[in-house]
Amino acid sequence: MPLAAQRVPMLFVGLLSIACGMWLGLVRLGWNLSLPWPGQLIAHGPLMVCGFLGTLNSLERAVALGSRWGYAAPVLVAAGALMLDLGPLGAFGPMLITGGSFVMVAIFVVVWRRRASLFIATMATGALAWTAGNVQWLGGAPMCRVVFWWLAFLVLTIAGERLELNRVLRPTRAVRSAFIVAMVTVLGGVVAATWWPEPGVRALGVGLLALTWWLARHDVARRAVHQRGVTRFMAVCLLGGYVWLGVGGAIAAFTGVAMPGLLYDAMLHAVFLGFVISMVFAHAPVIFSAVLGLPLEYRPAFYLHVGALHVSLILRVVGDLVDSLGRWRVWGGLLNAVALLVFLLNTGRSMALRGNHGDPI
């Protein structure tokens, strides 16, 4: 069986995880949907972050590594996610996911030895943050503490990827130093939030705002948005995601909210959905092509799921922040799920049609 075909089950588990995570998210918002298992609502965050994004990211890293042992990371993460998808929340799923994150760290150790660089160090630190969060999760730490480590994992990973892609602009030492300051502030805020939640979250917010400024000022997307086709589409996704990163950072910096509630919901979804999922939308043509070995042709219809995501998040965040518009949050959450479903449908349709006509990206 071709190696690309062997990756399909892992990708399928990731997609199943996002579907289950969306279902649980809608239940949490008050939609009258059934729960397969009592107490399964707590799996919403783990399924979205670890089950979908963790599987996708570890699979991408294994492909880039080019060694079969690296696939232990997505296999373990996907297996753990499947446990969360199909059964009550227990220790076995988190244990497998934690094991997968340790393999991710090992992958970055090998990559660092091949080519030591700031962007590799940033992504490796993200993998360490994921592992630290997973260890705490496995140890029974409250999700409101674990989630900030997961946030650092995704933010640092994306920041490292953007730094790598921005090498064409030859950033100066001052630009690189500003990047380091932002990353250290993000990580320092997460560490501090473990013991001093409110000050730590405020510091995290400052770091996210600093990263937003850096990306808006120095990222190649500012130039790429003036291009056409898939290049412009990716740039639009990136720039929109940076706006949401700034929104999440501002809420964190000005409120220091570290416990579940409406502000907490607005902050986390601005970052996880607005920023992180926008990055997934932007890089989907590259990620899915690399993982599955099939070209994914860009289509203007991709703007449908991008637009739906931003509109739904505006509704959700405004509903979180304005008491009299609380129903907007509920409908915004439903549209969040619709945006993700449209993304999956658009992606699948593009890959299916690519077999008949069109040129690879």
Side-chain angles (χ1 to χ4, degrees):
M1 180 184 295
L3 189 57
Q6 296 177 28
R7 301 168 190 154
V8 172
M10 291 174 276
L11 184 60
F12 174 79
V13 172
L15 298 179
L16 177 63
S17 295
I18 195 174
C20 292
M22 288 190 295
W23 184 277
L24 295 177
L26 292 175
V27 175
R28 289 169 68 97
L29 285 170
W31 292 98
N32 188 22
L33 303 172
S34 61
L35 276 179
W37 304 96
Q40 198 177 23
L41 281 179
I42 193 64
H44 166 67
L47 284 173
M48 297 296 287
V49 175
C50 298
F52 174 58
L53 296 167
T55 299
L56 193 64
N57 189 262
S58 58
L59 186 54
E60 184 184 7
R61 294 301 152 201
V63 172
L65 180 67
S67 298
R68 285 189 175 272
W69 68 265
Y71 285 93
V75 167
L76 287 170
V77 175
L82 193 61
M83 296 292 174
L84 301 183
D85 288 327
L86 303 180
L89 186 64
F92 199 48
M95 189 181 303
L96 290 170
I97 291 172
T98 302
S101 65
F102 272 106
V103 178
M104 272 276 283
V105 173
I107 288 174
F108 277 110
V109 170
V110 173
V111 174
W112 172 263
R113 288 176 176 173
R114 291 178 181 175
R115 184 179 185 181
S117 61
L118 178 57
F119 67 84
I120 293 297
T122 304
M123 290 188 283
T125 305
L128 285 169
W130 186 28
T131 304
N134 289 342
V135 169
Q136 294 179 64
W137 177 35
L138 188 60
M143 191 56 63
C144 61
R145 190 173 82 185
V146 173
V147 72
F148 291 111
W149 289 94
W150 289 349
L151 183 149
F153 155 53
L154 295 170
V155 168
L156 290 171
T157 298
I158 293 168
E161 290 174 343
R162 296 314 304 164
L163 182 64
E164 178 184 11
L165 294 172
N166 278 285
R167 287 179 298 166
V168 296
L169 300 180
R170 297 184 179 181
T172 64
R173 179 176 295 182
V175 170
R176 291 164 61 87
S177 297
F179 178 87
I180 293 171
V181 169
M183 294 301 94
V184 169
T185 307
V186 167
L187 189 61
V190 171
V191 173
T194 303
W195 292 278
W196 308 285
E198 183 177 331
V201 171
R202 289 184 185 275
L204 168 63
V206 171
L208 295 178
L209 287 172
L211 177 59
T212 301
W213 171 83
W214 191 94
L215 291 168
R217 178 70 179 83
H218 300 294
D219 194 87
V220 70
R222 290 182 60 195
R223 301 183 182 185
V225 76
H226 300 293
Q227 303 299 315
R228 295 182 178 181
V230 67
T231 303
R232 182 172 187 172
F233 169 76
M234 294 174 72
V236 168
C237 291
L238 292 168
L239 294 174
Y242 300 160
V243 171
W244 285 112
L245 181 66
V247 171
I251 295 173
F254 286 103
T255 68
V257 59
M259 297 299 292
L262 295 180
L263 287 173
Y264 178 88
D265 181 86
M267 174 188 63
L268 291 185
H269 286 87
V271 177
F272 282 115
L273 276 180
F275 175 61
V276 177
I277 295 299
S278 287
M279 301 303 107
V280 174
F281 286 0
H283 295 112
V286 177
I287 295 172
F288 283 90
S289 296
V291 169
L292 297 178
L294 296 173
L296 193 158
E297 184 178 1
Y298 159 75
R299 297 178 183 277
F302 286 3
Y303 281 102
L304 289 176
H305 55 257
V306 175
L309 177 69
H310 292 310
V311 170
S312 66
L313 269 173
I314 291 171
L315 290 175
R316 181 169 192 149
V317 171
V318 170
D320 279 331
L321 300 180
V322 181
D323 289 340
S324 61
L325 299 176
R327 290 297 298 174
W328 286 28
R329 173 175 175 261
V330 177
W331 286 102
L334 178 62
L335 290 177
N336 290 158
V338 170
L340 292 172
L341 287 174
V342 173
F343 160 66
L344 296 176
L345 291 173
N346 270 340
T347 301
R349 178 174 179 271
S350 180
M351 297 187 78
L353 293 178
R354 177 61 189 89
N356 297 321
H357 54 79
D359 297 322
I361 295 171

